[in-house]
Amino acid sequence: MPTAKSDAFVFFGATGDLAYKQIFPALQALTRDGKLDMPVIGIARSGWKVAQLRKRAEDSLREHGGVDKAAFAKLSGQMQYLDGDYNDAQTYDKLRKALGDAQHPLHYLAIPPSMFVPVVKGLAASGCSQGARVIVEKPFGRDLKSAQALNRTLHRFFREHDIFRIDHYLGKEPVQNLLYFRFANAFLEPIWNRDNIASMQITMAENFGVQGRGKFYDEVGALRDVVQNHMFQVLALLAMDPPANRSADAMRDEKLRLFRSMRPLQPGDIVRGQFDGYLKEAGVAKKSTVETFAALRIHMDTWRWAGVPFFIRAGKQLPVKCTEVLVRLKNPPQQVFDSPDQGAVNFFRFRLSPNVVISLGARVKAPGEAMKGHPVELVAHRDVREAMAPYERLLGDAIDGDSALFTRDDCVEEAWRVLDPILGDKVPAHKYKPGSWGPKEANALIDGAGGWNDPRIEPAPKDGK
Ligand code: BG6
């Protein structure tokens, strides 16, 4: 197991969208912080020369955070471009030469999953996988069976601790904060259970559509795009037991135990939706029944959570861009004073985007003779603009060989086990209007638990990210 720092960074898909939006900005930041003193080799099949890759990197940085002259000059100097077909053995021979003396290269597969197999085979046959680590992008399979097959293939060439499955939600500052807040404080743990908590819900709302990614999106839909990965990871951080320590496996063991306790979803636990106009998006099949909205009810069979419903709602073309968790506590057993407004008297709110809010909902007495009150929210608030970008954090961790923020094979498979029974067209996709909170059918799922919490914020710019 290479515990040493990686000594070459190779990225497949160098001319693609992901490199443009996320990888170049992360590479510049890592270079600026002195964490990327190594060859940086971009690979693609675009017939480019290195000058074009440098230009592409510069354009990307202009659009995403700005060019840092000194860091960019250094990064450009380290950059190489390698042109080749992913199915051609010569591509990997060229890569082997370009790697020179590197002992622990890090190969980032920023390419569609259909290309994972030829690339890992090529890396192994050419010796480029020796002592190496590999980063794979989501989606990790399309269901349980394909995820198992993908894991089997990866394991033929790489050991599990050398495989880094990226889920950018785990690199987000507020998501890290969720874990920190839960386990750095003593007051939460005694109440974090079925005796005190009535329900939890996560809403991931986006106020834009598929943004030109129609072809990709139509093959996945909301469940595979954001629920199986991002939302389940947030759910795990909210509900898992305390890890024994900070090690990658201690964290992932607890997540695994939680996923294992989740009942496989039944058709009655899910509502799917599709926004009006989705079928006109470029790349989308004319009669597509793929969901752009999903609402789920999840049950966990553990002593901690038996009987406590967990809800997830994720959708495109909703009124705002915001991801928020609401934990409703049980109401006081007896109403001594005024009867409160409908809903939970006490709650925790964790807003994960666009800003970080952690708040506790309570009631306080209104001034005056009567014992009457009103709800207040005690708020801790942070701006995340200065925080480290998820890809910078995650690529830095992968270079260091720290897999705490990456998903393990067994966790990925357990998450698919939960979703597998309701994937596809098991339940219809109801139409909803862009700018609404999704199909009304989603309300029935949560009516008994106080209804959905619709995050109230100023609408974010329409470009999404
Ligand atoms: C990506 C999905 O993984 O996450 C997108 O493919 C989604 O469809 C995006 O928009 C959301 O990420 P963020 O960081 O903007 O919440």
Side-chain angles (χ1 to χ4, degrees):
M1 163 182 177
T3 46
K5 206 174 138 105
S6 298
D7 48 9
F9 184 90
V10 180
F11 60 121
F12 291 81
T15 58
D17 208 41
L18 185 68
Y20 191 76
K21 287 188 179 148
Q22 305 286 359
I23 302 177
F24 292 124
L27 294 181
Q28 177 179 266
L30 289 166
T31 307
R32 187 194 54 218
D33 296 345
K35 296 179 186 161
L36 196 71
D37 269 327
M38 59 187 84
V40 175
I41 306 168
I43 307 187
R45 301 169 281 188
S46 304
W48 284 13
K49 298 271 186 271
V50 69
Q52 279 157 293
L53 189 68
R54 289 188 181 126
K55 167 86 173 57
R56 174 90 170 161
E58 196 172 356
D59 291 348
S60 142
L61 294 168
R62 285 224 168 82
E63 242 183 86
H64 302 101
V67 180
D68 173 327
K69 264 190 156 177
F72 181 65
K74 187 160 180 227
L75 176 61
S76 294
Q78 293 175 154
M79 225 182 249
Q80 301 177 41
Y81 176 75
L82 214 152
D83 201 73
D85 192 312
Y86 298 150
N87 286 304
D88 182 354
Q90 280 185 17
T91 306
Y92 304 93
D93 293 339
K94 282 195 272 179
L95 175 60
R96 188 52 266 171
K97 284 203 189 86
L99 285 172
D101 295 336
Q103 301 291 309
H104 303 301
L106 176 62
H107 303 290
Y108 184 175
L109 312 191
I111 48 177
S114 56
M115 295 312 297
F116 287 175
V117 177
V119 172
V120 290
K121 278 188 182 160
L123 289 172
S126 59
C128 294
S129 63
Q130 199 96 40
R133 303 188 177 108
V134 64
I135 304 180
V136 288
E137 266 292 331
K138 71 174 240 304
F140 314 120
R142 321 186 19 85
D143 51 22
L144 178 58
K145 210 166 148 222
S146 55
Q148 286 168 331
L150 179 58
N151 282 334
R152 270 197 304 274
T153 305
L154 289 171
H155 289 153
R156 276 171 57 202
F157 308 105
F158 291 91
R159 285 164 303 184
E160 178 57 26
H161 47 243
D162 296 329
I163 301 170
F164 290 72
R165 296 175 190 79
I166 246 184
D167 181 324
H168 81 281
Y169 259 62
L170 287 178
K172 283 176 182 260
E173 184 67 27
V175 176
Q176 299 252 288
N177 203 358
L178 209 52
L179 180 72
Y180 187 90
F181 187 75
R182 269 200 69 197
F183 299 123
N185 294 304
F187 64 88
L188 276 187
E189 188 55 17
I191 60 165
W192 216 246
N193 55 46
R194 65 192 305 276
D195 297 332
N196 299 284
I197 288 177
S199 70
M200 288 199 199
Q201 57 174 289
I202 313 169
T203 292
M204 177 184 177
E206 294 183 308
N207 60 346
F208 47 88
V210 292
Q211 296 184 306
R213 298 157 74 223
K215 187 165 180 313
F216 160 80
Y217 197 86
D218 209 39
E219 284 171 15
V220 289
L223 288 167
R224 293 183 171 101
D225 187 36
V226 299
V227 174
Q228 189 271 348
N229 33 66
H230 307 332
M231 293 298 95
F232 270 34
Q233 289 297 328
V234 172
L235 188 65
L237 295 176
L238 283 168
M240 71 191 212
D241 282 342
N245 55 51
R246 277 171 67 175
S247 73
D249 274 333
M251 297 284 175
R252 300 183 308 177
D253 287 349
E254 292 310 329
K255 285 186 185 171
L256 178 65
R257 274 179 0 98
L258 184 85
F259 289 142
R260 281 193 174 143
S261 78
M262 284 162 58
R263 285 187 210 159
L265 288 162
Q266 301 301 315
D269 297 324
I270 174 165
V271 172
R272 296 195 310 133
Q274 188 187 79
F275 66 78
D276 285 336
Y278 174 70
L279 298 180
K280 297 206 183 89
E281 296 274 353
V284 168
K286 277 199 184 72
K287 293 187 175 163
S288 172
T289 55
V290 160
E291 75 283 348
T292 59
F293 171 100
L296 289 77
R297 180 176 47 214
I298 292 169
H299 296 282
M300 297 171 192
D301 290 319
T302 64
W303 277 46
R304 190 196 279 267
W305 296 125
V308 179
F310 288 76
F311 301 92
I312 290 175
R313 175 176 60 157
K316 303 266 184 206
Q317 292 288 22
L318 301 188
V320 291
K321 176 163 168 61
C322 180
T323 301
E324 192 169 284
V325 173
L326 191 78
V327 178
R328 288 189 167 126
L329 273 68
K330 289 190 171 165
N331 278 344
Q334 205 194 340
Q335 294 301 335
V336 180
F337 305 116
D338 49 345
S339 49
D341 318 331
Q342 225 198 342
V345 171
N346 299 129
F347 57 84
F348 285 98
R349 186 192 304 279
F350 299 96
R351 179 173 294 167
L352 308 181
S353 82
N355 50 359
V356 186
V357 174
I358 298 181
S359 67
L360 167 64
R363 286 184 74 78
V364 294
K365 184 183 169 302
E369 211 175 320
M371 286 299 272
K372 287 203 165 144
H374 57 87
V376 291
E377 231 175 295
L378 312 169
V379 182
H381 178 274
R382 289 275 181 285
D383 201 327
V384 286
R385 270 174 301 186
E386 294 306 314
M388 191 185 247
Y391 273 85
E392 179 189 347
R393 187 193 302 268
L394 294 172
L395 296 188
D397 282 2
I399 288 171
D400 289 340
D402 178 355
S403 45
L405 299 181
F406 295 83
T407 319
R408 204 169 60 190
D409 54 350
D410 45 11
C411 294
V412 169
E413 291 178 14
E414 278 303 311
W416 281 123
R417 179 191 60 78
V418 177
L419 286 179
D420 239 26
I422 47 88
L423 290 173
D425 286 330
K426 302 271 166 35
V427 300
H430 304 282
K431 294 283 182 190
Y432 64 94
K433 295 232 166 326
S436 72
W437 279 103
K440 60 180 182 335
E441 286 80 359
N443 295 337
L445 208 60
I446 196 175
D447 271 352
W452 292 108
N453 151 58
D454 296 337
R456 270 178 301 227
I457 54 162
E458 293 297 309
K462 280 283 177 193
D463 68 350
K465 297 228 166 191

